[in-house]
Amino acid sequence: MSIHAVKRAQCHLAWDNSIPPVLRVKSGETVTFDCLDASNGQITPAATAALLPSLSMTSLDQVNGPIFVESAMPGDTLQVDVLDMTPAEWGWTGIFPGFGILADEFTELALKIWDLKTYDKGFAWFDKAKGIKVPLRPFAGEMGVASGAKGAFSTIPPYRTGGNIDTKHVTRGTTLYLPIEAEGALFSLGDGHAAQGDGEVCGTAIETPMNATVRLTVLKDRPYVKTPHFATNGSTDDPRGSYCTTGVGPDIREAARDAVRHMITFLGEEHGLDRTEAYMLCSVAGDLRMHEVVDMPNYLIGMMMPKSIFSNVE
């Protein structure tokens, strides 16, 4: 199986199906990415909050790629198997005026530099003196494919084709499904996070450079994937993992409604439930999650269904 590589310099700042691909791969092949952090290298381990006013905001949230996947056509689905996510030995979290769910209340610049050398132990200290540490679960905040529409679309918000989905569950062992709108899919990845809570409420996670490895496979039999879907592996509180559908849009209630609608469709297609049965199951077993609520104009809401309720699913 061929393994391809994307370098740090092979990046772009918009989702645009006219951007030439940096690689062409066959369906089922593996690609590794060497990504800078979301500041595009402007923030370093020695940085302080005094640096933040001089940042070039138009250079933030770059993504590496795009990758042209042979045989991928509009209407297909791109399966992205997340094989590895390894952060750097440092990261940062910032507060920027105008960003975050409480942007009107937090108007001063702030920056925290993290020591991630304890990554192999599974945590980083938030405040060692106070005994506060944060579990590390690295993932890429940006994973997506190009829109079928002409033009350049900002990498800041999430879209139905992925993008800045900022979803902490899409980590090593997870499979992401993206609806393809452009020939070749034109997949890109970036915005490494060492850890993040659902919602990313202040607008940043533990931002970090990232080495990522994914396998890209074209699926011809999932026409119901209209927004990002993903399947997680097991965890302590979710032993067999979950399947998640999402809703994406500028109205948070409509995004939540779409997430449920897409789960109802999934349950009908994959588990043979009629719409009434599926709606009931969503209510008694599904969890609505605010995955991304700060990168306007779009919200990303997920409906997660535990695989453990299906006795015939491994």
Side-chain angles (χ1 to χ4, degrees):
M1 187 72 66
S2 297
I3 299 179
H4 305 269
V6 178
K7 299 176 181 178
R8 288 187 173 188
Q10 294 175 303
C11 62
H12 54 100
L13 287 161
W15 300 99
D16 187 337
N17 61 31
S18 70
I19 296 175
V22 300
L23 282 176
R24 296 178 70 97
V25 304
K26 296 179 180 178
S27 175
E29 291 188 330
T30 298
V31 183
T32 63
F33 295 79
D34 181 15
C35 305
L36 284 169
D37 66 289
S39 79
N40 216 343
Q42 296 180 87
I43 296 176
T44 69
T48 67
L51 167 76
L52 299 184
S54 66
L55 289 184
S56 170
M57 303 302 285
T58 58
S59 298
L60 304 184
D61 272 358
Q62 78 289 350
V63 290
N64 291 67
I67 311 300
F68 186 101
V69 186
E70 294 179 7
S71 80
M73 298 297 294
D76 295 342
T77 299
L78 186 67
Q79 176 178 313
V80 183
D81 294 304
V82 182
L83 304 181
D84 190 40
M85 292 279 171
T86 302
E89 293 187 340
W90 69 281
W92 62 271
T93 301
I95 295 177
F96 297 87
F99 286 87
I101 203 165
L102 298 179
D104 56 327
E105 298 181 23
F106 290 82
T107 58
E108 299 294 325
L109 289 164
L111 180 68
K112 177 179 178 59
I113 300 296
W114 295 77
D115 182 349
L116 303 182
K117 295 185 183 71
T118 52
Y119 168 64
D120 60 341
K121 298 179 181 178
F123 71 90
W125 286 107
F126 179 79
D127 189 318
K128 194 169 185 178
K130 295 177 181 177
I132 303 172
K133 58 186 179 181
V134 175
L136 299 181
R137 294 191 66 202
F139 69 98
E142 296 260 13
M143 286 197 280
V145 295
S147 170
K150 292 183 179 180
F153 298 87
S154 169
T155 57
I156 298 299
Y159 302 96
R160 64 175 181 263
T161 50
N164 200 14
I165 59 176
D166 277 340
T167 300
K168 71 173 188 177
H169 308 280
V170 187
T171 186
R172 181 187 301 153
T174 298
T175 299
L176 175 67
Y177 302 95
L178 297 169
I180 295 172
E181 293 188 357
E183 183 179 359
L186 301 174
F187 174 81
S188 298
L189 176 153
D191 189 23
H193 294 168
Q196 181 202 294
D198 270 326
E200 196 188 31
V201 296
C202 86
T204 57
I206 301 181
E207 311 289 338
T208 181
M210 185 76 72
N211 286 313
T213 303
V214 299
R215 182 170 56 243
L216 304 175
T217 305
V218 177
L219 303 178
K220 303 287 186 179
D221 60 351
R222 291 199 175 214
Y224 56 81
V225 176
K226 303 297 185 184
T227 58
H229 291 197
F230 61 87
T232 68
N233 55 6
S235 64
T236 302
D237 60 345
D238 189 9
R240 292 170 60 189
S242 294
Y243 190 90
C244 182
T245 57
T246 67
V248 186
D251 184 296
I252 197 167
R253 185 170 187 271
E254 283 305 309
R257 282 159 58 87
D258 282 344
V260 176
R261 290 185 183 109
H262 294 321
M263 180 58 74
I264 288 170
T265 300
F266 167 77
L267 292 171
E269 293 289 335
E270 297 294 333
H271 296 282
L273 301 185
D274 64 36
R275 283 181 55 79
T276 299
E277 292 173 324
Y279 189 32
M280 288 182 180
L281 190 59
C282 286
S283 192
V284 301
D287 290 315
L288 267 179
R289 300 279 183 90
M290 292 184 178
H291 293 314
E292 205 292 306
V293 298
V294 294
D295 291 321
M296 298 298 97
N298 293 334
Y299 300 91
L300 188 140
I301 307 298
M303 165 57 76
M304 300 187 74
M305 190 66 65
K307 298 176 189 175
S308 59
I309 69 172
F310 306 104
S311 61
N312 62 340
V313 175
E314 294 300 327

